[in-house]
C-alpha cells in the first residue's frame, strides 16, 4: 500500500503514533518519526518539540525533500496546561505542516489526528476562528486567560481539536494544484497512556461515553484508518473528518436529533 513512500509521523514514540508507524512500515513505507521522546521504532528519528518553533524549524530544515505523507499525531491531553495543549495540538502542528509543504512531493497526503472532542465545533465557531488566528508570535497565555481555558473540564483540548477539524476543512483545496490532500481522523476514547488523563478531566461525561461504548478503541483500531487517509485509495477525500469512534458520533447525532 505504501511501497516506496517516505512518511513523517509525529508522536511516534507512543500510542497511536507508534502503532501507525508500525502499520505504515509493514505496508512498505519508510517512516521518519518525530517526537519529544526518543524512540527507535521508526526508520529514522528526529527529536523535536511542538511547543518550540525553533525546534520545528530545525526539524524541517533537516528533513529531506519529496516526502509522500505527514501524519500529525503528537498531542497532549487536557490535564496539560491550556497553553501547552493549544501549542502542541494546534499551533505547533500548523507551524510544522505549513513549513513542510514545500518539502512534500506532489500527490502527498496529510492526516491530522483530531478527536471526538472536536465534535462540537459548529457551536463555537467564533472562538475557533480566534484560536485559528493564533501562531507562535501571539499572546497564547492571554488568549487562554481571556477564554478561561485553564479551568477544569478540558475546554483547551476540545477547542484544539475543534479548530483542527475546521482547519482541515479549510484546507480541502489549498494545495489542489499539487494533488496534496489533507484529512483528519477523529477517534473516541483510545487505550493509550493518556486515556486516564481524559477520564480524569472529563469526569462524568467520559464515564457516560464509556458506558454506552462496548469498549474503548485500541491503537490497532485507529492506525489503519490513518494509513488509509495517507494512501492513494483516499485521493477523493479532501478536508474530511473520518470519525473512527466505534459509532459514538453517530450515537450523539441520533440523540441530538431524536433519531
Ligand atoms: N487516547 C485517546 O483516547 C485519544 C482519543 C482521541 C484523540 N487522541 C489523539 O491522538 C493523538 C495521539 O495520542 P495518544 O493517545 O497516542 O497519546 P500518547 O501520549 O500515547 O502519544 C502522544 C505522543 O505525542 C508526543 N508529544 C507530546 N507532546 C509533544 C511535543 N511537545 N512535541 C513532540 N511530541 C510530543 C508524546 O511524547 C507521545 O509520544 C493525540 O493527538 C491525541 O489528542 C487520543
Amino acid at each position: 500500500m505504501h511501497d516506496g513512500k517516505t512518511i513523517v509521523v509525529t508522536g511516534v514514540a507512543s500510542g497511536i503514533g507508534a502503532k501507525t508507524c508500525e502499520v505504515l512500515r509493514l505496508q512498505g513505507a519508510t517512516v521518519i518519526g518525530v517526537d519529544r521522546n526518543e524512540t527507535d521504532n521508526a526508520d529514522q528519528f528526529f527529536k523535536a518539540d511542538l511547543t518550540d518553533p525553533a525546534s520545528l524549524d530545525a526539524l524541517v530544515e533537516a528533513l529531506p525533500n519529496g516526502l509522500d505523507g505527514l501524519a500529525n499525531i503528537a498531542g497532549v491531553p487536557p490535564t496539560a496546561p491550556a497553553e501547552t495543549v493549544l501549542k502542541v495540538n494546534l499551533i505547533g502542528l500548523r507551524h510544522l505542516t505549513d513549513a513542510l509543504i514545500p518539502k512534500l512531493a506532489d500527490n502527498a497526503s496529510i492526516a491530522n489526528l483530531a478527536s471526538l472532542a472536536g465534535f462540537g465545533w459548529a457551536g463555537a465557531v467564533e472562538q475557533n476562528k480566534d484560536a485559528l488566528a493564533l501562531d507562535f508570535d501571539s499572546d497564547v497565555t492571554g488568549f487562554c486567560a481571556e477564554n478561561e481555558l485553564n479551568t477544569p473540564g478540558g475546554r483547551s483540548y476540545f477547542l484544539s481539536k475543534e479548530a483542527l477539524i475546521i482547519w482541515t476543512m479549510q484546507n480541502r483545496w489549498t494545495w489542489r494544484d499539487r494533488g496534496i490532500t489533507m484529512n483528519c481522523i477523529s477517534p473516541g476514547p483510545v487505550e493509550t497512556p493518556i486515556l486516564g488523563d481524559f477520564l480524569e478531566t472529563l469526569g462524568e461525561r467520559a464515564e457516560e461515553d464509556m458506558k454506552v461504548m462496548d469498549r474503548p478503541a485500541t491503537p490497532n483500531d485507529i492506525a489503519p484508518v490513518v494509513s488509509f487517509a495517507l494512501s492513494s485509495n483516499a485521493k477523493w477525500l479532501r478536508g474530511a473528518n473520518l470519525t473512527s469512534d466505534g459509532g459514538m458520533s453517530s450515537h450523539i447525532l441520533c440523540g441530538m436529533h431524536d433519531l
Side-chain angles (χ1 to χ4, degrees):
M1 189 144 134
H2 294 298
D3 281 343
K5 287 190 190 172
T6 301
I7 298 176
V8 174
V9 177
T10 74
V12 74
S14 178
I16 299 166
K19 184 52 75 175
T20 299
C21 172
E22 186 187 325
V23 167
L24 292 174
R25 292 183 78 197
L26 282 170
Q27 293 173 336
T30 297
V31 173
I32 301 179
V34 173
D35 207 289
R36 64 180 169 183
N37 295 330
E38 304 267 355
T39 174
D40 59 3
N41 60 3
D43 295 284
Q44 222 186 328
F45 175 77
F46 290 93
K47 189 169 177 158
D49 182 351
L50 279 154
T51 65
D52 175 7
S55 161
L56 296 176
D57 293 342
L59 167 68
V60 171
E61 180 73 28
L63 287 169
N65 284 309
L67 297 163
D68 300 292
L70 168 63
N72 283 314
I73 300 182
V76 287
T79 42
E83 193 172 336
T84 308
V85 172
L86 286 188
K87 283 188 174 169
V88 176
N89 295 5
L90 187 65
I91 298 169
L93 182 158
R94 292 180 62 192
H95 185 97
L96 172 63
T97 307
D98 287 339
L100 211 49
I101 294 293
K103 290 202 161 183
L104 296 185
D106 287 353
N107 300 313
S109 311
I110 302 166
N112 299 323
L113 227 304
S115 170
L116 179 63
F119 178 90
W121 65 264
V125 169
E126 292 310 316
Q127 189 185 38
N128 271 283
K129 284 184 187 168
D130 292 344
L132 284 162
L134 297 172
D135 61 21
F136 279 118
D137 293 328
S138 308
D139 176 12
V140 183
T141 315
F143 177 87
C144 291
E146 271 165 41
N147 286 273
E148 298 178 358
L149 297 183
N150 286 303
T151 50
R155 180 68 195 140
S156 59
Y157 184 80
F158 281 71
L159 181 61
S160 72
K161 296 300 186 180
E162 289 168 7
L164 184 55
I165 292 171
I166 293 175
W167 187 62
T168 303
M169 292 194 291
Q170 288 175 321
N171 283 312
R172 63 203 177 279
W173 291 333
T174 308
W175 312 282
R176 187 161 54 168
D177 57 333
R178 294 179 53 203
I180 297 173
T181 59
M182 176 183 279
N183 294 292
C184 63
I185 295 94
S186 287
V190 189
E191 258 176 33
T192 71
I194 59 175
L195 180 58
D197 297 81
F198 291 113
L199 299 181
E200 182 188 322
T201 318
L202 305 179
E204 271 176 29
R205 259 185 300 172
E207 275 168 34
E208 281 306 309
D209 286 0
M210 298 293 269
K211 264 186 224 159
V212 292
M213 296 185 77
D214 43 359
R215 61 171 176 83
T218 71
N220 266 323
D221 295 310
I222 310 302
V225 185
V226 181
S227 167
F228 168 68
L230 292 169
S231 78
S232 55
N233 291 330
K235 275 295 149 196
W236 207 234
L237 293 186
R238 290 172 173 175
N241 179 24
L242 306 181
T243 53
S244 183
D245 58 13
M248 273 308 292
S249 49
S250 294
H251 176 73
I252 296 168
L253 282 168
C254 284
M256 281 169 66
H257 299 285
D258 196 22
L259 297 170

